[in-house]
Each structure stands twice: as C-alpha cells, then as structure tokens.
Amino acid sequence: MDLAFIPSPSTGVIDLGPIPLRGYAFCIIIGVFVAVWFGNKRWIARGGRVGTVADIAVWAVPFGLVGGRLYHVITDYQLYFSDGEDWVDAFKIWQGGLGIWGAIALGAVGAWIGCRRRGIPLPAWADALAPGIAFAQAIGRWGNWFNQELYGRPTDLPWALKISDGPNRIAGTYHPTFLYESLWCVGVALLVIWADRRFKLGHGRAFALYVAAYCTGRAWIEYMRVDEAHHVLGLRLNVWTAIIVFLLAVTYIVVSSKVRPGREEIVEPEAAGAKTARTTETGATTADTPDAKADAEARTDVDARTGVAGESQDPGTKSGPGEDTTSAAVAADDRVGGDSAPQSASDGTNGPAEPAGKS
C-alpha cells in the first residue's frame, strides 16, 4: 500500500462556461508571461527600453510554439502517421507535445527578426531572457502533470507520481520526471542570475550557460523516462540531442570569451540616445559633452586675447614693471564700448581734457 504519493488531477480541463481552460495551455501561457516580465526587468537594468522585450517576444513566441510542435511531430511521427492514427491530431497542441529543442531553435529565428527590426543585438536580448526562459520551462512542465504524461520508471518513493488508467498509460506510481525537470530549471535560472552578476556575462554567454546547464539535467532526467521514444546506439534521441547541444554551448562560451570578452556597454542604441538627450537638456552633464568642451575652450581663448581672463584692471591704474600696457589699454577700450577718447581725469566724462593751468 502506498503511504504517500503525488496525486494526478482527475481532469486536465476546466470549463469556464463555453470556454475550456486546459491545464497544459494554461501552464504554457503563464510561463511565457513570466519569461517576458522577468526578461523586461533584466533588459531595463542593462540599459534597454521598456517594452522592447515584449515587442520582440511577439515574434519569438509564435515561432517557438511552431518549432516546438514541429520537433515533437517529427521525432514522434508514429503517434500521428502510423496505421490507425489520425494525422489531424498533429495540430492539437493542447493535448501536449512541445519539444524544447525546436522551440528554442525556431524561437531564436523569430527573435532575430524582431531584434533586426529594432536594431539591437540578438545575443544581448538572449542574455536578458535566459533565466526567464528557464523559469518558464519550470512552470510549463506542470502541464505534463495535468496531462499525466512524460513520467519515469515505477517507484514507491514518497514523492512518487500516481498515474491513473488511460490511453497509452498503465495505473501505478512512477518517478515524477516533470517535477525533477521543473526543479532543475529553477536551479538553472538561479545559476544564470548568479553567474551573470558575478562575471558580467555578455555577447550571448548567459544564454549559452542556460543551455549548457539545462542540457546537463535533461540528459539524466530523459534517461529515467519510460514513454515511447526513438533510440540511437542504445540512448534515447533526446539524450543525444542534449549531449550535442551541451558541447556546442560550452564551445560557444569558451570561444566567445576570447573573441569578444566583457559585456556590451550599449544594448539598445535608441535608449542610449534618448538618455543622452534628456541629460543634456537638464544640464546635468553639459560640461561633459564634446560641444560644451569646445565652447569652453573657445571662450577661454577669446578671454586670453582680450585680457579679461585674469584680474580686470582699472583703466586709470598704472601698470607695474614688465606689464603689457598695450593689452591693458585695449582691454579698457573694450570695456567702455571701444571709444578711443581718453577719459577726463577731472570729472570722469569722455570729453577732451582742458589745457593745463586753465582755471
């Protein structure tokens, strides 16, 4: 008798009036929302604009869903195109069946299109999204719980997953591989966040770290599953895929760190330009702009030629030894409006001085 286990839901659909809310689709939607929300926070922290992540996700998400479904249908074609199967079921995505490999690959194509339209680098955008994607996968895996699918070998552990009788499944308690992968993805997200803060990952290396870490967990979790799958040299196809993708991700991290070390200083040119314009208008850093420096140098040069840069002299004050009386006179003429007539010593007017000795 099983003393403890994780129960499976009696149904994967909740009817909201005429609208059926399927648990699998609900988990996918929530996961996408979390990925965009968290990615937006990271993008803004990197110097990007609000809404850019969502704008590009409009391209990436549909491409990702199509790619994920295509990968599943191609690698499990016998479920839809064998004798007695209905090929129309290949379009029923709500029944489950999304391959993360195809979702990431084709989703990257959609993201590339969106990034190109906005004029921003795809690697920087991918770095911002990386931990959010891992969180989204952690949430999305609970869709398999609603559908009672993708479980592991039979077990009597306290956290075993109880599966009921149904199409292509036998009642019993099994390893909850959906839960293992969900927890692993949370750990991957936290790892990427920590590594990005610690090492300032850039140029796609945070995303590559997410891919490598996910593949590590997916390999051993996939090995535990008992659902039907193609095998190559004794290993499930997805295990080989995880190994190959892991090696590619690690290679990218090593090569990229040597070719393009550091992190991008500007991830969104429009945001950087707008920030500079606002700062200049407020005068906070006007002295630091090239134009301001040029104006300051020009004013200093003019002041030096006119003699105003230093302590101003009274026109009537005698110049000391070695002083340039010509410069002082010119400066004096400039200050009184350029009038060449000498100032009267008696009354301070600009008229000519009276002859000496006249009463």
Side-chain angles (χ1 to χ4, degrees):
M1 180 178 180
D2 297 321
L3 298 179
F5 56 82
I6 300 173
S8 292
S10 58
T11 179
V13 183
I14 300 176
D15 293 322
L16 299 178
I19 302 175
L21 177 61
R22 301 183 181 275
Y24 185 86
F26 181 73
C27 291
I28 297 297
I29 293 172
I30 295 299
V32 170
F33 173 80
V34 170
V36 173
W37 169 77
F38 193 67
N40 183 66
K41 291 175 64 67
R42 285 173 52 84
W43 183 253
I44 294 173
R46 288 285 303 275
R49 306 180 87 175
V50 177
T52 297
V53 169
D55 291 343
I56 297 175
V58 170
W59 290 89
V61 172
F63 274 74
L65 291 175
V66 172
R69 188 60 176 178
L70 282 175
Y71 181 88
H72 167 72
V73 172
I74 292 173
T75 55
D76 292 311
Y77 62 88
Q78 72 279 358
L79 299 177
Y80 308 101
F81 302 104
S82 299
D83 293 338
E85 302 293 344
D86 188 0
W87 64 271
V88 177
D89 292 341
F91 297 95
K92 297 179 180 179
I93 191 172
W94 56 87
Q95 293 182 354
L98 286 175
I100 185 61
W101 316 113
I104 294 297
L106 206 56
V109 175
W112 176 80
I113 295 174
C115 288
R116 187 175 179 83
R117 290 168 60 89
R118 294 296 295 264
I120 64 177
L122 174 60
W125 187 84
D127 284 342
L129 263 289
I133 294 175
F135 281 132
Q137 287 180 255
I139 297 172
R141 272 305 176 195
W142 283 85
N144 301 133
W145 176 68
F146 280 101
N147 286 353
Q148 296 194 48
E149 60 184 1
L150 306 186
Y151 44 83
R153 304 189 192 98
T155 182
D156 57 357
L157 291 172
W159 56 85
L161 174 66
K162 187 173 184 179
I163 297 294
S164 60
D165 279 320
N168 301 318
R169 66 176 185 255
I170 301 174
T173 55
Y174 301 87
H175 276 284
T177 51
F178 85 92
L179 179 61
Y180 298 160
E181 186 167 338
S182 179
L183 295 176
W184 183 268
C185 287
V186 172
V188 170
L190 296 178
L191 171 66
V192 174
I193 293 172
W194 170 82
D196 194 26
R197 291 177 178 175
R198 175 66 177 81
F199 303 105
K200 303 298 181 183
L201 302 176
H203 301 287
R205 289 188 286 276
F207 183 81
L209 175 61
Y210 144 72
V211 172
Y214 171 75
C215 289
T216 303
R218 180 62 184 268
W220 67 265
I221 293 172
E222 185 74 23
Y223 186 74
M224 297 179 63
R225 284 166 47 172
V226 294
D227 54 299
E228 186 178 356
H230 295 287
H231 287 71
V232 178
L233 299 177
L235 293 179
R236 293 167 65 96
L237 177 61
N238 281 332
V239 175
W240 283 110
T241 304
I243 294 173
I244 294 173
V245 175
F246 169 81
L247 294 175
L248 291 175
V250 172
T251 301
Y252 179 86
I253 293 174
V254 174
V255 174
S256 176
S257 61
K258 293 181 179 180
V259 176
R260 306 186 70 183
R263 173 188 279 183
E264 303 92 338
E265 294 184 0
I266 298 177
V267 296
E268 191 167 2
E270 292 183 3
K275 183 178 180 180
T276 300
R278 289 194 301 269
T279 304
T280 302
E281 289 177 2
T282 58
T285 59
T286 302
D288 295 332
T289 62
D291 292 341
K293 291 181 179 180
D295 291 343
E297 292 176 357
R299 286 195 298 271
T300 302
D301 186 55
V302 171
D303 291 344
R305 289 198 303 268
T306 59
V308 182
E311 185 76 21
S312 60
Q313 287 186 334
D314 189 336
T317 304
K318 293 182 180 180
S319 58
E323 291 183 348
D324 188 353
T325 56
T326 304
S327 298
V330 172
D333 289 344
D334 288 341
R335 287 195 294 271
V336 297
D339 195 344
S340 59
Q343 187 178 14
S344 173
S346 60
D347 59 6
T349 64
N350 290 338
E354 293 184 359
K358 185 176 180 179
S359 61

